[in-house]
Amino acid sequence: MYGASDVRIEIVPDAQLIESTDALVAVTHACICGSDLWPYKTMQHNDAGRRMGHEAVGVVEDVGADVRTLKVGDVVVMPFAFSDGTCVFCHEGLHTSCIHGGFFGTTEVAGAQAEAVRVPQADGTLFVLPVGRDDALMPSLLTLSDVMGTGHHAAVAAKVGPRKSVAVVGDGAVGLCGVIAARRLGAEQIIIMGRHPDRVALAKEFGATHVVTERGEEAIERVRELTGGFGVHSVLECVGLEQSMLTAVEIARAGGAVGRVGVPQDETMPASQTAFFSNVTVSGGPAPVRAYIEELLPDVLEGRIEPGRVFDQVVRLEEVPDGYRAMDEREAIKVMVEP
Ligand SMILES: [Zn+2]
């Protein structure tokens, strides 16, 4: 990506091992993330460009001398952040704060919308999948690199549990995975807030019990009506805009919680006084998806959840620029890339 709306596919030098703890992964499946759309809308032109993509499944092609748990040929899922798996934060399950960690698709570490990717801290980062490279479950397995883990993190941060009422702000892929996560954790009432018929339909199949298509004040009123006037116990904020955060806090009942995973586009937090006087907990951040793979994987393998259904378009690598356009124009929910 060279700037807003400027995505190009280029031939670059092959990815290769740099550190002895690296692995080289041939990408079999990647995707375009909702968070890739923020730079797609706003990035200043940059001559060096940024190699995008932080979600992938692939096959290990080479490993550094100090890699212990991976071997050539392993089919692996790559979380959007790399992490050593051994530091104090990794032990606490917060891999996105790893002291040796970082993020893919940045100016420092090249991204996975590519034929191959160098994976730092390979032992801690990569998770070996017990399937072949062309397994039918691949789309769902790919979501473990970001969106499914992120939706789950929103639900955890929002303290979703049995018999709770939940609202999901945002009908993108993460919001839809948030619906899956809320149901999986036993929520009784799940309100999806969105208006695109195809997304709302999928949300219902994933377990949403109510739909709120209104916005702003009307949306807040509608959620209160659906919850005996009090608001919901748990709100999953999956957008990151001022308006969505404001709505999220306003629809939380007193003592409730907002789990936010939409990357905030503002420095300040909206509705801070409302949150304070209602004792609403606001937490969340970049999801430690590496920590969640073990918990979510059995449900994917045994077909209890099907997060891969968020992919409604598949492109080849050379078609990636059009994939960005399709997602930006909300023509596609989420685009999978098969290099
Ligand atoms: Zn760590």
Side-chain angles (χ1 to χ4, degrees), residues 82-91 94-95 97-101:
F82 56 88
S83 54
D84 60 13
T86 55
C87 79
V88 59
F89 292 110
C90 285
H91 278 301
L94 194 58
H95 297 67
S97 292
C98 175
I99 60 174
H100 299 116

Side-chain angles (χ1 to χ4, degrees), residues 41-114:
K41 289 181 206 293
T42 61
M43 183 176 154
Q44 296 282 330
H45 176 84
N46 174 329
D47 282 333
R50 185 175 141 196
R51 294 191 199 166
M52 303 294 293
H54 52 254
E55 302 152 279
V57 167
V59 180
V60 174
E61 277 202 342
D62 199 2
V63 294
D66 292 321
V67 172
R68 297 278 171 263
T69 61
L70 302 160
K71 60 182 189 306
V72 173
D74 281 346
V75 176
V76 290
V77 56
M78 179 193 99
F80 67 83
F82 56 88
S83 54
D84 60 13
T86 55
C87 79
V88 59
F89 292 110
C90 285
H91 278 301
E92 290 172 6
L94 194 58
H95 297 67
T96 40
S97 292
C98 175
I99 60 174
H100 299 116
F103 297 90
F104 291 98
T106 60
T107 41
E108 293 82 41
V109 182
Q113 288 160 10

Side-chain angles (χ1 to χ4, degrees), residues 28-41:
T28 58
H29 299 78
C31 43
I32 301 172
C33 184
S35 65
D36 292 336
L37 296 180
W38 296 123
Y40 187 74
K41 289 181 206 293

